Structure formats: structure tokens, C-alpha cells
């Protein structure tokens, strides 16, 4: 039963993300950021929604849970793409993001996908 509920939640999130409209992004410089989120970001579908948005925008990287309601991500794309991802995720009502820390890090040249770890 729990697996069925999770599957339904993922379906609903995916349908929600598919309805969002994103701007056309230009081929600007690719950057990579390590972003740490604290707050109510675990057990609420945060990583999956983040994953869906990142994939739809064309961002690569990963999202991973740490302990004590912390999610750490690395995202790679243009500044405009990453800004759009952050705007959308911060506007989601199911999460309570208390703090977002962004650190610029080195680009990974051969990365081609976004993963949930």
C-alpha cells in the first residue's frame, strides 16, 4: 500500500511539473553550484520534485538527503536555468525551506543527467 501511495504522489508531482511553463534559455556559460537546503525538506517529496524540475529545465547534477532535515544538491547549467529552478522550488507550498546556501564549485564536463542519491 505504501508503494502505491508513493507511486501516486510521484505521478501527481510529474503531472504538476509538466504543466509549468519555463522561459527559453540561452546558451550562456555553464556553471555548477552546490546548494544546501534546510527546513522541512525531507519526507515531503522535495528531492523528487527538484529532480523533475531540473530534468525539465535541462540541468544536470544530483540531490541527496543528509541528516536533520538537510538536502544537499549540486546543479549544473546556466545561471538563468539554476535561478529558475530555485524560483520554482521556493514557490512550492509543500516544503518549508528555512535556509538556502549556494556555493559556486567546478563544472563537471562529462555529466549528462540529474540523479537522486
Amino acid at each position: 500500500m505504501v508503494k502505491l501511495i508513493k507511486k501516486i504522489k510521484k505521478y501527481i508531482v510529474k503531472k504538476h511539473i509538466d504543466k509549468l511553463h519555463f522561459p527559453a534559455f540561452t546558451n550562456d556559460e555553464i556553471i555548477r553550484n552546490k546548494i544546501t537546503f534546510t527546513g522541512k525538506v525531507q519526507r515531503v517529496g522535495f528531492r523528487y520534485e527538484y529532480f523533475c524540475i531540473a530534468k525539465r529545465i535541462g540541468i544536470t547534477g544530483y540531490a541527496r538527503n543528509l541528516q536533520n532535515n538537510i538536502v544537499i544538491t549540486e546543479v549544473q547549467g546556466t545561471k538563468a536555468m539554476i535561478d529558475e529552478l530555485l524560483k520554482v522550488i521556493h514557490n512550492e507550498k509543500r516544503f518549508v525551506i528555512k535556509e538556502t546556501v549556494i556555493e559556486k564549485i567546478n563544472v563537471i564536463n562529462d555529466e549528462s543527467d540529474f540523479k537522486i542519491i
Side-chain angles (χ1 to χ4, degrees):
M1 185 68 163
V2 172
K3 285 184 180 182
L4 177 62
I5 292 170
K6 284 184 179 185
K7 195 172 192 177
I8 292 169
K9 284 182 181 180
K10 285 184 175 186
Y11 174 81
I12 291 168
V13 167
K14 179 101 175 64
K15 285 295 184 187
H16 168 69
I17 300 303
D18 287 346
K19 290 179 184 178
L20 296 177
H21 298 283
F22 296 104
F25 298 106
T26 58
N27 291 332
D28 292 336
E29 175 189 10
I30 299 295
I31 63 171
R32 187 175 187 90
N33 288 336
K34 177 180 176 183
I35 307 173
T36 305
F37 298 94
T38 58
K40 187 171 173 105
V41 292
Q42 291 182 350
R43 297 182 178 205
V44 289
F46 180 87
R47 289 181 303 151
Y48 184 72
E49 186 144 349
Y50 196 85
F51 164 84
C52 289
I53 298 165
K55 295 278 283 186
R56 177 98 188 282
I57 291 174
I59 290 173
T60 62
Y62 70 85
R64 171 176 59 152
N65 277 342
L66 296 181
Q67 47 190 325
N68 300 328
N69 286 316
I70 297 172
V71 172
I72 188 167
T73 70
E74 286 189 14
V75 291
Q76 186 165 294
T78 66
K79 181 178 181 330
M81 294 164 89
I82 294 169
D83 288 347
E84 185 69 17
L85 169 64
L86 291 172
K87 180 182 93 176
V88 172
I89 205 72
H90 276 98
N91 285 328
E92 179 57 53
K93 303 293 186 231
R94 290 182 303 119
F95 319 125
V96 179
I97 300 171
K98 292 185 178 179
E99 184 178 23
T100 304
V101 177
I102 302 171
E103 174 188 349
K104 189 171 182 175
I105 58 176
N106 293 331
V107 170
I108 297 176
N109 291 320
D110 60 347
E111 185 175 67
S112 61
D113 204 3
F114 194 94
K115 301 174 189 165
I116 298 173
I117 299 175

